[in-house]
Amino acid sequence: MSDLLLTKENLTWRDIAREVAEKHIRPIAAEYDRRQEYPWEAAKALASAGLFGTWIPKEYGGSAGETPVLDLCLVVEELSRVCGGMGVGFAVNALGSFPILLAGTDEQKQRYLPDVAAGRRLIAFCLSEKMAGSDAGSMATRAVKDGDHFVISGEKKWTTNGGVAEIYSVFAVTDPNSRSRRISAFVVEKGMPGFSIGKIEDKMGIRCIPVVETIFDQVRVGPANLLGGREGYGFKHAMETLDHARPGVAAQAVGLAQGALDYALHWVSRRVQFGAPLSSQGQIQGRLADMQAKVSAARHLVHAAALNIDRGASNIGFLAAQAKLFATNAAMEVTTEAVQLFGGYGFMKDYPIEKFMRDAKITQIYEGTNEIQRLVISRNLIKSAMHMDHLAPYCPMPWLDNKQKPN
Ligand code: CAA
């Protein structure tokens, strides 16, 4: 959205994030990417600026205003504009805390959210497994009841911020015989006996942020750690969480695309070939225009999805999936084009642009691959086709009588 459509509060969060990003993240982004090391000093700067409280209500120690998800997206975009790794390293705290926020008991919210909001403890999300990626419902991690406690055993895959996070929202099977009430959600804390970090992944992008396997070897948790105090609602909580969090990934993609466009624009305006800056060539101008239009369209979709979530719309999964699908594809296209505009220099690690392309790739994959986003969108679309009878007079279908409608 243009600045005129954003509130004063939205602009304040965006400007704070922009300042922290320029001062504390841009100068170190390449180095931490090379070292694959979590940038603790930058995270401390985000915490000092109050950014971890953006989406958490005031009663739980945060500073959420009227539009917490939109504010979260504005912050994630600004961080990702300078470093996609730090963008997701921040956003994943929303992914990890949404289950508690959306489904936790008041006691669970009071116990965990103030620490997250203050940036004192990071929080992560453990859903995927080696054999259960897109098909999240087929997970094998078990939580077996023992008295009023649960014993969690299994391995999770691709836990972003695993190891640096101290709190984990974990999904496990409590009733293997049930179809729709199979899975429950738990909160597990670092240091609980049996919980450990397994393989630390060596990644193409977002390299400053750890992505790991998390291992649960008979981790015993009490009833107070069963999310919402209810068994059987874990899959629903996971899906609702993803509906809330996917605009954050889309915002990460917008930030990456914008950041790559910034560098590309700077480059083509100064790089002289054939006696003139590249930007004087018509074919370069046309490509810049296409890149800008993609960034703007993606940003509008992200803001629309976020605002709908903030205003309590019912079809948020549909909107979130569109924002994620479009914005992450736009990020891949724009960052690839930016590398091309840098020519031979773009391929070299001496310049910041190749990192944007590497960081962008994962946005098309995590928090639901874009194939899954298409599935969510098309399922919603096909359902809505049942409400299109007003078109029937214009589309005669002699093979259907009134009793034979498609189902
Ligand atoms: N909100 C609430 N409930 C929902 C829902 C939603 N958005 N979507 C589905 N449900 C409910 C359904 O109503 C149904 O409930 P009942 O059994 O009570 O009827 C139940 O969940 C099962 O629904 P489906 O039959 O639609 O489920 P499915 O097995 O076909 O899967 C899916 C649906 C959309 C494909 C889902 O599995 C999915 O989103 N997969 C992708 C998982 C994903 O995004 N993983 C990424 C993890 S995070 C990550 O990437 C790492 C990181 O740290 C960044």
Side-chain angles (χ1 to χ4, degrees), residues 291-342:
M291 291 159 83
Q292 176 62 55
K294 283 175 192 169
V295 172
S296 295
R299 184 177 289 123
H300 276 80
L301 267 180
V302 172
H303 290 187
L307 262 182
N308 272 278
I309 294 173
D310 287 329
R311 296 198 177 151
S314 58
N315 58 342
I316 60 171
F318 184 50
L319 295 167
Q322 289 173 68
K324 185 191 182 276
L325 174 66
F326 187 86
T328 61
N329 286 344
M332 204 62 239
E333 289 162 17
V334 170
T335 55
T336 306
E337 191 72 319
V339 169
Q340 186 71 22
L341 292 177
F342 267 67

Side-chain angles (χ1 to χ4, degrees), residues 112-133:
Y112 294 112
L113 295 179
D115 277 354
V116 176
R120 277 191 295 275
R121 294 205 283 172
L122 302 176
I123 181 165
F125 184 77
C126 298
L127 179 71
S128 306
E129 299 179 2
K130 278 179 189 155
M131 297 305 292

Side-chain angles (χ1 to χ4, degrees), residues 129-169:
E129 299 179 2
K130 278 179 189 155
M131 297 305 292
S134 291
D135 185 7
S138 70
M139 69 179 63
T141 296
R142 281 296 312 271
V144 177
K145 214 158 183 183
D146 180 20
D148 65 350
H149 281 55
F150 295 85
V151 179
I152 306 175
S153 301
E155 283 180 22
K156 294 289 177 180
K157 188 88 179 151
W158 305 304
T159 305
T160 306
N161 270 359
V164 295
E166 293 188 37
I167 312 167
Y168 296 79
S169 291

Side-chain angles (χ1 to χ4, degrees), residues 88 92 95 124-128 132-138 157-161 179-181 235-237 239-243 246 249 317 365-369 372-373 375-376 379:
V88 67
V92 103
L95 176 70
F125 184 77
C126 298
L127 179 71
S128 306
S134 291
D135 185 7
S138 70
K157 188 88 179 151
W158 305 304
T159 305
T160 306
N161 270 359
R179 198 195 61 84
S180 63
R181 297 284 168 262
F235 193 73
K236 190 169 173 283
H237 298 332
M239 293 297 109
E240 286 170 352
T241 291
L242 288 165
D243 288 347
R246 282 173 180 155
V249 179
I365 297 172
Y366 59 22
E367 289 194 36
T369 61
I372 290 296
Q373 309 311 317
L375 179 84
V376 170
R379 276 184 183 178

Side-chain angles (χ1 to χ4, degrees), residues 384-399:
S384 74
M386 292 301 101
H387 307 288
M388 300 178 101
D389 283 347
H390 63 292
L391 298 180
Y394 307 97
C395 299
M397 294 184 193
W399 57 91

